Amino acid sequence: MSQDRDTSEDFAAMLAEFEPKSGGRQRRIEIEIGQMLRGRIVSVGRDALFVELGPGRAEAMMDLAEFRDADGNVTVKIGDEVEARVVEIEGKAGCVVLRKTMLGHGPEAKAELEQARQLGIPVEGTVTAVNKGGVEVLVAGVRGFCPVSQLELRHVEDPAAYIGRKLGFRITRYEMDRRGDNLVLSRRALLEEESRARGAETRAKLVVGAVLPGIVTTVKDYGAFVDLGGIEGMLHVSEIGYQRDARVADLLSAGQRLQVQVLKIEKTDDPKRPDRISLSLRSLERDPWDDVADRVPAGTRIKGKVVRVAEFGAFVEIEPGVDGLLHLDELSGGKQVRQARDLAKPGDVVEVTVLSVDRERRRISLGLGDRTDAVAPEDMAAARAAGSAGMGTLGDLFKAAAARSKK
């Protein structure tokens, strides 16, 4: 495969400049087509860059077009490390040519596609249409097909959303028959390789108690799966926060970035997922019960929402993560009622008085309406001194809690 004249001259000039520095004394280690190599950029020219592969290895060159962004700006500099595959060992400079992706220039495109298939080198293509079972992709002027199952690591709901996007693919089949080119692609193969590489880095940091960044990948009724960087963990609904009876979909969404703590790591027999990782958001939050007695002491009058009802009474949310019990006797006003659900239902808003707070047992006893008569005088005095008797509504309490958290 030949380079254009300017690029070849650029390569040769850089090679001539660099060769005296090597002294020509190193014994060259044999390099083969298809080999993956890593090197350090030592020179950047107009059309190419020059890579030092290390002692005993030949120098290598790469097309600068592989390192330009959408605006044409070069994204690497001297000293950066690059990893790419050997595609050519020839030319008048006798230099190794590396590629990260196949570029597909002009009439040589089909030869490059065949080489990319043989060597496993990624190619870039633009999704142009959706057809039965997948999407059409234009790669170097050749129309290819990527099955929808090979677009992502997970199920794709709407393949049409990919139309117009330029993506990287691995060629899984390339042949020519009487109907023309038969090019089959897989993006998933590349994503799996990237995931394995990230997973190796993440695994080194994966210990119980570690706090790691993650991205929500899937939301279920029972929790969410979080990508920690090539390794996925499970965030159970009970570990999302201190809110009770909250829907996961109301708290998290796919693509959301967050910090999570590793709670548990269990080995499994599944080779694809050798570890079952349990995560928590809740462990990183302040426990609302820590100072609940200071925020809502006995004697506090407040409005709250009934969140669940049992035979013996109704549980009322007085702030996120903190419920109090309104006993059946309080609901009935002393009347003979067998079940609390005859008097209250989830969603009801009620005005209550905090009768007592037991932080250790995480229990709060509530009275219906103004029951300050049922509160000890010293507790009422403390509540008034704290100014809590005038807080009024659940919304007011939430605003006060939010203001405290910003300090």
Side-chain angles (χ1 to χ4, degrees), residues 130-314:
V130 176
N131 57 25
K132 185 177 180 180
V135 296
E136 292 183 5
V137 185
L138 194 63
V139 181
V142 177
R143 181 167 296 176
F145 172 74
C146 178
V148 69
S149 63
Q150 297 299 309
L151 262 178
E152 292 284 355
L153 293 174
R154 295 172 182 83
H155 176 68
V156 174
E157 291 287 346
D158 182 18
Y162 289 78
I163 293 177
R165 291 179 61 184
K166 180 178 284 188
L167 303 169
F169 297 89
R170 180 84 71 204
I171 298 176
T172 58
R173 183 191 305 169
Y174 183 49
E175 55 195 19
M176 286 169 279
D177 54 30
R178 55 186 178 82
R179 293 177 297 178
D181 297 287
N182 182 17
L183 176 64
V184 182
L185 307 163
S186 171
R187 180 168 179 256
R188 179 171 181 162
L190 287 183
L191 296 177
E192 287 175 340
E193 289 176 14
E194 294 170 2
S195 179
R196 284 193 292 270
R198 294 196 311 271
E201 296 178 6
T202 301
R203 198 169 297 281
K205 301 177 285 187
L206 197 63
V207 293
V208 173
V211 178
L212 302 172
I215 301 176
V216 177
T217 57
T218 309
V219 175
K220 301 288 186 181
D221 291 339
Y222 53 83
F225 290 95
V226 180
D227 181 8
L228 303 175
I231 297 177
E232 207 168 55
M234 175 64 192
L235 179 60
H236 192 267
V237 60
S238 63
E239 291 296 335
I240 293 177
Y242 286 94
Q243 307 95 317
R244 292 177 184 252
D245 305 317
R247 293 177 64 248
V248 180
D250 293 335
L251 304 174
L252 300 173
S253 58
Q256 183 176 342
R257 295 179 179 273
L258 36 71
Q259 294 279 327
V260 290
Q261 187 168 38
V262 179
L263 288 187
K264 190 187 300 182
I265 304 173
E266 299 174 296
K267 296 297 181 183
T268 73
D269 296 328
D270 185 352
K272 292 185 177 180
R273 290 188 178 181
D275 300 311
R276 184 182 295 111
I277 302 164
S278 300
L279 306 172
S280 177
L281 274 174
R282 173 173 162 160
S283 63
L284 300 178
E285 294 182 3
R286 178 186 62 83
D287 187 342
W289 283 89
D290 285 347
D291 54 357
V292 66
D294 297 329
R295 298 194 307 277
V296 284
T300 300
R301 290 180 60 188
I302 195 169
K303 288 182 180 179
K305 183 175 69 173
V306 176
V307 291
R308 62 190 186 283
V309 180
E311 286 188 13
F312 52 83

Side-chain angles (χ1 to χ4, degrees), residues 29 50 54 71 83 114 151 202 235 275 318 340 362 369 371 396 404:
I29 297 175
F50 195 71
D71 298 321
E83 186 175 38
E114 177 56 29
L151 262 178
T202 301
L235 179 60
D275 300 311
I318 59 175
R362 301 171 83 89
R371 290 303 315 279
D396 295 333
R404 286 194 297 272

